[in-house]
Amino acid sequence: MKKNDKYPLIWTRDLTKSYFGDAVPTHALRGVSFEIKSGEFVAIMGPSGSGKSTLLHLIGFLDRQTKGDFRFDGSTIDDYEKEELAHIRNQKMGFIFQAFHLLARTTVYDNVRLPLVYSSIPESQWDELVRKAIERVQLTDRINHEPSQLSGGEKQRVAIARALVNTPQVVFADEPTGNLDSKSGEIVMDTLQELNAEDGHTIILITHETYTAEHAQRIIYMRDGLIESDKKVSTQRHAHDGFKK
């Protein structure tokens, strides 16, 4: 049996993360267990200091747990060399951050193309993939614009296109509406919800906002490094019909 036939896409058991300084150790995660299947849209909620960002770093192969077990598509972080981990993050994971992290004085096209430069995908396929990703977030008319010429919501949609360009197995969205006004934030969340509902992308959303989390199908609520609740969303917010500029 193949490893990824036995486990769901994301699988954790008693996941613990502690930071050891000169004083008393800080326990960011205190034993977290949950599973996320391919195609789910899951929001991880909690106040500042609850452990949600630490959890994102662990399940995104950006950090290593202190104790416990985490498997992504059946494999643990110890199954890979450092270079292989970078490849996994590039090929199988897409990341969207609150601060956009777009390159200034670089067009939308080239920002979205960037992950392909570090991938194993043949260069002959890059143009089609970039244009398809930009079209998916309805920014074709901004393809030659630079970030300074875009609104906050448009910048985040560029970041979403960049996360999608490698067709990853999972997209991690870390407070994607944190720097946006409510209207732009709603458009971004509608985009993520449509990517999940229409294209089947697995979305893992980190947020402290209930309104944002309700776009997901399921909410894992964290407090003090532990999972306080894990429930399906009773009434998922529906994406708007189309995007508003």
Side-chain angles (χ1 to χ4, degrees), residues 141-159:
D141 60 338
R142 301 287 197 270
I143 197 167
N144 293 315
H145 285 51
E146 296 180 0
S148 62
Q149 300 171 296
L150 304 175
S151 69
E154 288 171 339
K155 290 176 184 177
Q156 194 59 290
R157 281 155 62 193
V158 173

Side-chain angles (χ1 to χ4, degrees), residues 21-32:
D22 296 331
V24 178
T26 301
H27 302 294
L29 293 178
R30 300 170 178 269
V32 171

Side-chain angles (χ1 to χ4, degrees), residues 3 7 11 58 61 64-65 68-81 84-85 88:
K3 283 186 289 186
Y7 295 94
W11 183 91
L58 295 185
F61 278 158
R64 184 185 299 269
Q65 69 267 28
D69 193 4
F70 161 59
R71 294 176 183 269
F72 175 80
D73 201 20
S75 298
T76 73
I77 194 169
D78 294 320
D79 291 331
Y80 301 107
E81 299 294 335
E84 290 177 312
L85 281 175
I88 292 294

Side-chain angles (χ1 to χ4, degrees), residues 26-88:
T26 301
H27 302 294
L29 293 178
R30 300 170 178 269
V32 171
S33 300
F34 66 94
E35 301 175 7
I36 296 175
K37 297 177 182 178
S38 181
E40 283 195 88
F41 185 171
V42 179
I44 300 175
M45 277 194 72
S48 297
S50 62
K52 60 186 186 296
S53 292
T54 299
L55 181 59
L56 171 68
H57 280 78
L58 295 185
I59 64 178
F61 278 158
L62 297 169
D63 199 0
R64 184 185 299 269
Q65 69 267 28
T66 306
K67 294 180 182 179
D69 193 4
F70 161 59
R71 294 176 183 269
F72 175 80
D73 201 20
S75 298
T76 73
I77 194 169
D78 294 320
D79 291 331
Y80 301 107
E81 299 294 335
K82 185 176 180 180
E83 293 76 13
E84 290 177 312
L85 281 175
H87 180 76
I88 292 294

Side-chain angles (χ1 to χ4, degrees), residues 60-232:
F61 278 158
L62 297 169
D63 199 0
R64 184 185 299 269
Q65 69 267 28
T66 306
K67 294 180 182 179
D69 193 4
F70 161 59
R71 294 176 183 269
F72 175 80
D73 201 20
S75 298
T76 73
I77 194 169
D78 294 320
D79 291 331
Y80 301 107
E81 299 294 335
K82 185 176 180 180
E83 293 76 13
E84 290 177 312
L85 281 175
H87 180 76
I88 292 294
R89 288 193 296 268
N90 177 270
Q91 293 286 290
K92 296 188 176 184
M93 301 176 176
F95 294 89
I96 304 164
F97 298 101
Q98 179 176 339
F100 315 135
H101 296 311
L102 301 180
L103 297 177
R105 298 184 296 279
T106 304
T107 65
V108 167
Y109 181 97
D110 285 332
N111 267 286
V112 174
R113 185 178 70 100
L114 187 61
L116 295 172
V117 176
Y118 303 98
S119 75
S120 58
I121 297 173
E123 190 171 352
S124 60
Q125 298 178 23
W126 291 3
D127 183 70
E128 181 182 357
L129 290 170
V130 171
R131 293 182 183 278
K132 182 179 178 181
I134 293 172
E135 181 181 1
R136 188 64 189 85
V137 299
Q138 297 196 15
L139 283 178
T140 300
D141 60 338
R142 301 287 197 270
I143 197 167
N144 293 315
H145 285 51
E146 296 180 0
S148 62
Q149 300 171 296
L150 304 175
S151 69
E154 288 171 339
K155 290 176 184 177
Q156 194 59 290
R157 281 155 62 193
V158 173
I160 293 172
R162 182 182 57 193
L164 294 175
V165 74
N166 278 340
T167 58
Q169 288 180 269
V170 59
V171 174
F172 296 103
D174 189 5
E175 300 282 5
T177 62
N179 283 337
L180 304 179
D181 59 61
S182 57
K183 180 180 177 181
S184 297
E186 184 69 23
I187 292 171
V188 165
M189 290 311 304
D190 286 352
T191 305
L192 292 175
Q193 192 172 347
E194 288 178 359
L195 290 171
N196 171 256
E198 297 176 10
D199 299 350
H201 286 285
T202 305
I203 309 286
I204 299 178
L205 168 71
I206 305 295
T207 184
H208 65 277
E209 301 171 332
T210 301
Y211 184 88
T212 301
E214 287 174 347
H215 284 79
Q217 302 160 340
R218 171 184 163 202
I219 298 175
I220 296 173
Y221 191 88
M222 298 188 66
R223 187 183 296 277
D224 298 329
L226 294 167
I227 291 179
E228 192 170 85
S229 63
D230 184 348
K231 299 178 180 178
K232 290 187 176 181

